[in-house]
Amino acid sequence: MGFIHDVKRVIAKLPTKRQSLFFSATMPPEIQRLSATILTNPRKVEVAPPATTAEKIAQCIYYVNRADKKQLLMHVLSDSTIERALVFTRTKHGANKVVKDLLKDSITAEAIHGNKSQNARQLALKNFKNKTTRVLVATDIAARGIDVDDLTHVINYEIPNVPETYVHRIGRTGRAGASGIAISFCEAEEVAYVKDIQKLTGVMIPEGEDRGRAPLPDFDTTKALPVAPASRQNNQRSTQRGPRGNGGNGASGGNGGNKTKKKNWRPFFKSNK
């Protein structure tokens, strides 16, 4: 959250020989490098493995064209029972664009990312917690450590390219034993990221369902679906593989290592515009 320079200034004033305890909600590479400059031969204690996802978080995914993500987000948020939603993007520009689109649709939203001042980030988070702002759009760096009580929905507008980041993102909901819902939007170029996430967590993310354009899609969290189709650029044909296992049959009807069956595939959600 922008405190790295303050931390370094404090450490510079401390004795070289000292006892240090370092705490972090997550341990991405940047934090690991920081800890290496502070600690000497430390003992590491982890509360839970980094690949663990809370059982009470219902996950689903939509396969969607990039151009239709905006419309799909509005579609999901049209459910008035979603009082607050935390939306993740990969870039600062993407976060600002999503906020702009939401405001045009009369949905209160604010962005929180590295280009925002500390005061601006704190104000945006405060407004989100007290429900003045319905949607908080965040990048991964700015979202570190966000803890909002009773946050029911996390939406991955863009799939993270680091599998552990997905676990961290959806962990913003379903906290302290509560239940939560994590919805992901996946375009063709992001299918590989989804495969990496499923490999890390050992959980197949079920597809969301759009039944008669209902405000919030119904989905079965116990339904194990094949690995997402790897679409070509025109999004019309793809290769679909089943889950890998010890000789388990995939979507092609053969063993995991056999040739896969090609089939027509269109994005699961497509805007009517």
Side-chain angles (χ1 to χ4, degrees):
M1 298 294 285
F3 293 127
I4 181 63
H5 299 297
D6 302 283
V7 171
K8 289 181 177 179
R9 280 195 291 268
V10 170
I11 292 174
K13 301 293 184 180
L14 297 175
T16 303
K17 186 176 180 180
R18 63 181 186 270
Q19 182 181 26
S20 301
L21 285 80
F22 185 89
F23 299 89
S24 181
T26 57
M27 289 295 290
E30 295 83 358
I31 300 300
Q32 291 182 21
R33 286 193 289 269
L34 172 63
S35 67
T37 66
I38 300 174
L39 309 175
T40 303
N41 297 324
R43 290 190 178 184
K44 185 176 180 181
V45 178
E46 291 181 293
V47 174
T52 300
T53 56
E55 294 181 359
K56 290 189 176 183
I57 300 177
Q59 304 175 56
C60 77
I61 191 168
Y62 285 99
Y63 296 101
V64 57
N65 280 328
R66 179 184 302 177
D68 293 321
K69 282 190 175 183
K70 170 186 171 182
Q71 185 68 14
L72 177 56
L73 180 60
M74 305 305 174
H75 173 84
V76 172
L77 293 176
S78 65
D79 182 1
S80 59
T81 63
I82 302 178
E83 297 182 350
R84 286 178 303 185
L86 178 58
V87 176
F88 283 102
T89 62
R90 283 197 300 268
T91 67
K92 305 167 189 175
H93 172 73
N96 290 335
K97 187 176 185 302
V98 170
V99 168
K100 185 178 179 180
D101 291 338
L102 290 171
L103 292 175
K104 284 183 179 179
D105 209 50
S106 301
I107 297 175
T108 55
E110 292 185 76
I112 179 171
H113 52 64
N115 281 356
K116 299 284 185 177
S117 68
Q118 182 64 23
N119 288 337
R121 290 196 292 259
Q122 288 178 336
L123 179 60
L125 187 56
K126 178 182 178 182
N127 291 338
F128 186 60
K129 286 183 176 181
N130 63 27
K131 300 182 181 180
T132 301
T133 298
R134 185 185 178 201
V135 179
L136 184 65
V137 186
T139 57
D140 294 312
I141 292 178
R144 299 292 180 186
I146 286 181
D147 188 4
V148 179
D149 292 337
D150 302 320
L151 175 62
T152 57
H153 289 75
V154 168
I155 300 174
N156 292 303
Y157 191 83
E158 294 171 322
I159 305 295
N161 52 8
V162 178
E164 292 83 358
T165 300
Y166 173 85
V167 178
H168 173 77
R169 284 183 179 185
I170 70 171
R172 300 305 94 195
T173 185
R175 301 177 74 80
S179 59
I181 295 175
I183 302 173
S184 299
F185 300 168
C186 178
E187 60 187 83
E189 290 77 8
E190 297 172 320
V191 169
Y193 302 156
V194 174
K195 291 182 179 180
D196 290 340
I197 290 168
Q198 293 178 146
K199 181 178 179 181
L200 174 71
T201 61
V203 175
M204 304 301 294
I205 306 174
E207 289 189 47
E209 297 181 13
D210 183 35
R211 298 176 178 174
R213 293 189 59 80
L216 182 66
D218 295 324
F219 53 89
D220 181 0
T221 58
T222 64
K223 186 178 180 182
L225 296 179
V227 173
S231 173
R232 294 182 179 179
Q233 191 169 9
N234 62 8
N235 290 335
Q236 292 301 313
R237 297 189 63 83
S238 69
T239 298
Q240 188 172 13
R241 292 187 177 92
R244 295 178 180 179
N246 296 326
N249 290 337
S252 62
N255 292 336
N258 291 350
K259 292 184 179 180
T260 56
K261 178 181 178 181
K262 290 187 176 181
K263 61 181 292 186
N264 290 326
W265 176 69
R266 294 183 180 179
F268 197 81
F269 178 94
K270 187 173 182 180
S271 171
N272 287 333
K273 291 185 176 182

